[in-house]
């Protein structure tokens, strides 16, 4: 039972354009949503997060949007740069537990 | 400063053997997590340590899996009688304390386990 789903395994975007990575979830007990970035042979690194009481959080080129009614999360990267090429995981923390539930990842390729 | 380190980086073993994976968290980090990532899947939570106690072991897939932690430092994940479905990348993460925002959680590079 995949509670956090990233339905696009890969995405290619031209440098300078917007990258939009999507994530859907099923569990209404999630209270924080996170995005991580992973380069080959390295562990994931934290990118940005959003509380379930907000609908937008912005950090430089990265913005996360949360649509609670649709149980949908998206990460926007503007403008996209070749160094953004990586696998992006969305994750959610479960209220009153210590768990994080991760999606399967989307591989982003930014073309120069 | 030093990040989270894991050893070995790669491990190939035969089905039925026991393996031990090691995680050295960032100094001073009290919270430690183990995850695994099987091919084509997301990171799967295994266990969480706060200090040397494990308030949440719910992610351990079977009684062949166990983990321990010495004080607020090294943790070992042991898999007994390995099976081919145990093949995965095993990731460790640590944070200063439990942080549900994830902002302070740092991951190691992982141990790639292959069970033949």
């Amino acid at each position: 039972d995949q509670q956090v789903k990233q339905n696009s395994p890969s995405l290619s975007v031209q440098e300078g354009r917007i990258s939009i990575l999507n994530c859907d979830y099923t569990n209404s007990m999630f209270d924080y949503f996170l995005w991580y970035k992973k380069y080959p042979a390295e562990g994931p690194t934290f990118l940005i997060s959003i509380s379930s009481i907000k609908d937008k959080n912005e950090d430089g080129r990265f913005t996360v949007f949360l649509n609670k009614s649709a149980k949908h999360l998206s990460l926007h990267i503007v403008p996209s740069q070749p160094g953004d090429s990586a696998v992006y995981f969305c994750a959610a923390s479960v209220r009153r537990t210590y768990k994080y539930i991760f999606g399967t990842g989307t591989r982003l390729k930014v073309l120069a | 400063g030093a990040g989270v380190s894991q050893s070995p980086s790669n491990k190939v073993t035969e089905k039925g053997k026991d393996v031990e994976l090691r995680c050295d968290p960032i100094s001073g980090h009290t919270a430690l997590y183990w995850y695994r990532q099987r091919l084509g899947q997301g990171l799967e939570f295994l266990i969480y340590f706060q200090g040397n106690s494990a308030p949440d072991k719910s992610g351990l897939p079977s009684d062949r899996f166990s983990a321990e932690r010495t004080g607020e430092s090294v943790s070992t994940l042991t898999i007994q009688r390995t099976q081919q479905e145990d093949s995965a990348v095993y990731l460790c993460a640590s944070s200063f304390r439990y942080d549900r925002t994830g902002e302070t959680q740092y991951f190691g590079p992982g141990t790639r386990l292959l069970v033949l």
Side-chain angles (χ1 to χ4, degrees):
Chain A
D1 176 29
Q2 193 69 23
Q3 298 183 60
V4 176
K5 297 180 185 177
Q6 293 178 259
N7 292 317
S8 298
S10 63
L11 175 68
S12 290
V13 170
Q14 207 65 36
E15 181 180 7
R17 306 294 291 267
I18 185 170
S19 295
I20 300 176
L21 297 109
N22 294 304
C23 183
D24 295 295
Y25 63 95
T26 57
N27 191 338
S28 57
M29 293 295 285
F30 292 149
D31 62 350
Y32 258 94
F33 299 89
L34 306 85
W35 284 95
Y36 287 83
K37 175 173 161 179
K38 185 181 183 304
Y39 292 118
E42 295 182 12
T45 55
F46 172 80
L47 196 56
I48 192 168
S49 67
I50 187 168
S51 163
S52 60
I53 63 172
K54 295 190 174 179
D55 54 21
K56 178 181 174 182
N57 187 26
E58 193 170 351
D59 183 3
R61 297 186 297 113
F62 302 91
T63 303
V64 56
F65 294 93
L66 176 61
N67 181 336
K68 286 185 286 294
S69 60
K71 292 194 171 66
H72 180 80
L73 185 71
S74 63
L75 175 68
H76 292 209
I77 306 173
V78 184
S80 301
Q81 299 173 354
D84 297 329
S85 298
V87 176
Y88 289 78
F89 291 96
C90 68
S93 68
V94 184
R95 188 173 295 135
R96 290 193 289 274
T97 77
Y98 304 99
K99 288 185 189 176
Y100 297 90
I101 309 293
F102 282 77
T104 53
T106 296
R107 184 177 301 276
L108 173 66
K109 189 168 184 178
V110 180
L111 307 168
Chain B
V4 178
S5 61
Q6 292 185 246
S7 61
S9 53
N10 290 280
K11 176 74 177 176
V12 181
T13 191
E14 292 179 350
K15 179 181 169 180
K17 301 273 191 186
D18 297 353
V19 295
E20 196 170 274
L21 311 180
R22 177 185 169 113
C23 172
D24 284 88
I26 293 172
S27 178
H29 279 195
T30 61
L32 186 147
Y33 297 80
W34 281 99
Y35 296 88
R36 76 175 174 183
Q37 185 182 17
R38 291 191 279 190
L39 193 64
Q41 299 188 20
L43 278 72
E44 180 185 353
F45 169 84
L46 296 180
I47 188 169
Y48 162 73
F49 283 95
Q50 179 58 44
N52 63 2
S53 68
D56 193 341
K57 304 181 185 180
S58 62
L60 294 177
S62 76
D63 59 9
R64 296 187 296 105
F65 287 72
S66 62
E68 60 180 34
R69 187 176 184 197
T70 308
E72 293 181 352
S73 60
V74 172
S75 176
T76 53
L77 177 69
T78 302
I79 309 172
Q80 295 178 309
R81 304 181 303 281
T82 52
Q83 303 293 312
Q84 287 178 331
E85 64 262 26
D86 300 334
S87 297
V89 176
Y90 288 82
L91 289 155
C92 173
S94 73
S95 62
F96 178 63
R97 60 178 183 278
Y98 172 61
D99 172 13
R100 65 189 318 99
T101 73
E103 292 181 19
T104 61
Q105 188 176 97
Y106 295 89
F107 279 84
T111 293
R112 188 174 300 272
L113 175 66
L114 178 62
V115 182
L116 300 176

